[in-house]
Amino acid sequence: MDADHEHNWKFAQCFGDKGDMDDITEADIISAVEFDHTGDYLATGDRGGRVVLFERNEGKRGCEYKFYTEFQSHEPEFDYLKSLEIEEKINKIKWLKRQNSAHFLLSTNDKTVKLWKVYEKAVKVVTDCNITNDVRLGGAEPPALNVSDLKLPTTTHHDTIVAAVPRRIYANAHAYHINSISVNSDGETFISGDDLRINLWNLNVSDQSFNIVDIKPANMEELTEVITAAEFHPINCNLFMYSISKGAIRLADMRDSALCDRNAKVFEEPEDETAKSFFTEIISSVADVKFSADGRYILSRDYMTLKLWDINMEKRPVKTIPIHNHLQSKLCDLYENDFIFDKFECTFSGDGNWALTGSYNNFFQIHSTDPADTPPIHLQADKSAFKAKKAGSTKNKASAAVRRPTTELTLADYQRKILHASWHPRENSIAVAATNNLFIFSTL
């Protein structure tokens, strides 16, 4: 690893209101971040059901994005059968690979997945009209025209707008909250997963799905685990994995049977009986799983650690990286304030050499996936980085980005956390959501 690599990371951009925590409305908090397959576009979803797209600003050096479009993806609903309110909050966004000039992406809240088409639409106006302005405004009738005087109306380009239309709505297939969607490498199917089931959809068929995983027991009192995340293998369209709250990751093969109740592989560490406590099961629950781009490695994040697994070795991870060791003595307080249930995402770099995950006080960490014990890179998505860039100070900008986390955190620091992040597929640029702000950091 380059000894200067840490100092190469710089704050590049910030979108959103840079106000204080007290001024933030719940609807503005970002709940999903995702680069597309090219890295030229970036999407965010928030708790208000909105999706905002950003486009790479080619006219600028380095890594810089500009606003592209925004649309309302989900609205609040009410389930009258269960007397439950269904939030509009966007849980996940996934881009489809681009095949023409339009963009397609999937977004989901707790119950409904939608396929959106986003495209540029030309606005044209009619010119050379035979009716004069006087007549349009209610004036006197014009003199009669000869046939030779009549002109064929023509249209001219007036403006270009970005339109977003829902092409498919995949509804009524989940009894529990959807926590994952993943597009298959075949480009034709995707999975949606909730706490107890995973469904397989064809992108062109919105009224039918196939249940491929079902862990719901006959008696719900016997329920011991729930599904926490699911993802397709990036190359083999028959393979997918899902993680469970008991700390295991299961790899399933759709060629084995219609219902994937037998696992091809299970990645799980043996439990240390001597270290068990009241919090053991909570902190070992896997919050997120990701395949590397080549499908060889799996990255998993639980509350305390980030783990790197080799798909060919099930017994133990290749590397276990402690993230929240300094919080070990504060688990009681974290439990009482519900922070122990925070679900931090993780992601690989495009080349698989790095792993990214978040923490509290708007800190996030970049770790080498090399089995060697390499020091992590600590970065902070902080307003001071934005202010330093505005002031034009390169030195302050870098120091505002690269900081050391402190172990003493206040209640406000726990509320400021990096849960959602995405890594550019082709370069060292990352997008992280810090409450209602989107921060971009880069080595460019």
Side-chain angles (χ1 to χ4, degrees):
M1 182 203 231
D2 182 359
D4 295 326
H5 187 83
E6 177 169 344
H7 303 290
N8 290 339
W9 282 97
K10 293 182 177 66
F11 165 78
Q13 233 177 334
C14 179
F15 293 96
D17 178 24
K18 291 90 190 172
D20 296 324
M21 287 288 289
D22 299 337
D23 304 329
I24 298 167
T25 61
E26 183 81 8
D28 291 333
I29 295 174
I30 298 173
S31 53
V33 181
E34 192 79 12
F35 278 107
D36 78 337
H37 296 87
T38 65
D40 292 336
Y41 291 86
L42 174 63
T44 65
D46 63 26
R47 293 189 185 180
R50 296 179 296 260
V51 171
V52 182
L53 304 186
F54 300 90
E55 181 184 30
R56 186 71 173 255
N57 193 347
E58 297 296 347
K60 300 283 186 177
R61 289 181 63 191
C63 180
E64 191 164 311
Y65 287 79
K66 59 186 177 182
F67 174 82
Y68 186 59
T69 192
E70 174 184 342
F71 57 91
Q72 188 72 31
S73 176
H74 287 71
E75 303 278 358
E77 299 172 49
F78 191 80
D79 186 335
Y80 291 96
L81 291 175
K82 295 184 178 179
S83 295
L84 281 175
E85 287 186 17
I86 301 168
E87 291 183 359
E88 63 270 41
K89 174 194 167 195
I90 306 296
N91 291 340
K92 294 286 178 185
I93 295 173
K94 294 293 175 186
W95 294 83
L96 275 63
K97 284 190 176 173
R98 198 170 176 185
Q99 296 176 334
N100 51 37
S101 59
H103 302 274
F104 288 89
L105 51 95
L106 291 169
S107 63
T108 185
N109 66 348
D110 286 342
K111 296 292 179 188
T112 305
V113 184
K114 294 184 180 181
L115 173 65
W116 288 90
K117 178 184 179 182
V118 180
Y119 62 102
E120 293 186 2
K121 183 178 179 181
V123 178
K124 296 185 177 181
V125 292
V126 178
T127 57
D128 289 340
C129 187
N130 293 298
I131 303 173
T132 65
N133 284 331
D134 290 339
V135 176
R136 288 178 199 157
L137 297 171
E141 284 291 323
L145 293 172
N146 295 321
V147 175
S148 59
D149 295 327
L150 290 175
K151 292 178 287 188
L152 200 63
T154 57
T155 58
T156 57
H157 183 269
H158 174 66
D159 196 8
T160 301
I161 61 168
V162 181
V165 292
R167 291 299 302 270
R168 302 271 188 282
I169 296 176
Y170 312 92
N172 307 318
H174 288 276
Y176 306 95
H177 291 175
I178 298 171
N179 54 44
S180 301
I181 48 175
S182 180
V183 183
N184 200 348
S185 60
D186 64 11
E188 296 177 3
T189 55
F190 73 93
I191 52 174
S192 57
D194 64 29
D195 295 339
L196 298 178
R197 295 189 176 105
I198 297 173
N199 293 331
L200 175 70
W201 301 82
N202 187 300
L203 281 161
N204 294 318
V205 182
S206 59
D207 58 354
Q208 184 181 37
S209 65
F210 300 93
N211 180 225
I212 54 173
V213 173
D214 188 347
I215 64 168
K216 184 179 179 181
N219 181 1
M220 282 296 277
E221 290 178 6
E222 296 171 5
L223 182 68
T224 59
E225 63 189 32
V226 294
I227 297 166
T228 56
E231 186 176 48
F232 264 120
H233 190 280
I235 298 166
N236 299 325
C237 61
N238 52 286
L239 294 176
F240 69 96
M241 66 173 168
Y242 63 98
S243 56
I244 59 168
S245 56
K246 278 193 167 179
I249 303 163
R250 296 171 181 167
L251 186 71
D253 190 335
M254 291 189 292
R255 294 173 300 185
D256 285 347
S257 61
L259 189 65
C260 299
D261 49 1
R262 294 192 307 274
N263 304 300
K265 291 184 178 182
V266 179
F267 303 89
E268 186 175 19
E269 280 190 291
E271 216 170 20
D272 184 358
E273 294 295 330
T274 59
K276 278 191 85 168
S277 72
F278 171 77
F279 304 110
T280 300
E281 194 166 315
I282 300 171
I283 62 175
S284 63
S285 174
V286 181
D288 193 25
V289 284
K290 291 286 193 311
F291 276 112
S292 58
D294 60 4
R296 172 69 189 273
Y297 294 98
I298 294 169
L299 195 63
S300 70
R301 173 71 205 266
D302 56 46
Y303 190 74
M304 300 299 286
T305 63
L306 185 68
K307 292 176 181 173
L308 178 70
W309 300 84
D310 188 321
I311 203 168
N312 298 320
M313 190 170 78
E314 300 169 60
K315 290 183 179 178
R316 63 180 184 277
V318 176
K319 189 173 186 177
T320 299
I321 302 163
I323 303 294
H324 283 159
N325 265 5
H326 60 288
L327 300 179
Q328 194 77 48
S329 61
K330 299 182 176 166
L331 294 179
C332 279
D333 294 337
L334 292 163
Y335 177 78
E336 286 173 8
N337 289 286
D338 284 345
F339 294 125
I340 201 169
F341 300 105
D342 285 336
K343 299 189 185 306
F344 293 92
E345 293 177 2
C346 59
T347 183
F348 275 107
S349 61
D351 58 12
N353 293 333
W354 305 93
L356 165 69
T357 195
S359 184
Y360 293 108
N361 198 14
N362 280 0
F363 274 101
F364 58 99
Q365 302 175 16
I366 297 172
H367 295 266
S368 170
T369 55
D370 191 304
D373 192 17
T374 312
I377 299 163
H378 296 281
L379 298 167
Q380 188 179 30
D382 189 70
K383 284 185 294 184
S384 57
F386 170 78
K387 289 172 183 172
K389 181 162 188 180
K390 209 169 182 182
S393 168
T394 308
K395 183 180 176 184
N396 291 342
K397 184 172 66 174
S399 63
V402 182
R403 292 182 175 178
R404 294 293 176 194
T406 56
T407 53
E408 291 304 315
L409 297 174
T410 65
L411 191 64
D413 293 331
Y414 285 115
Q415 289 166 340
R416 298 167 66 242
K417 51 203 165 194
I418 304 296
L419 299 175
H420 314 287
S422 184
W423 198 300
H424 191 290
R426 296 188 308 221
E427 65 188 43
N428 282 339
S429 298
I430 51 181
V432 295
T435 319
N436 64 325
N437 295 322
L438 176 70
F439 284 82
I440 295 172
F441 292 80
S442 180
T443 60
L444 299 180

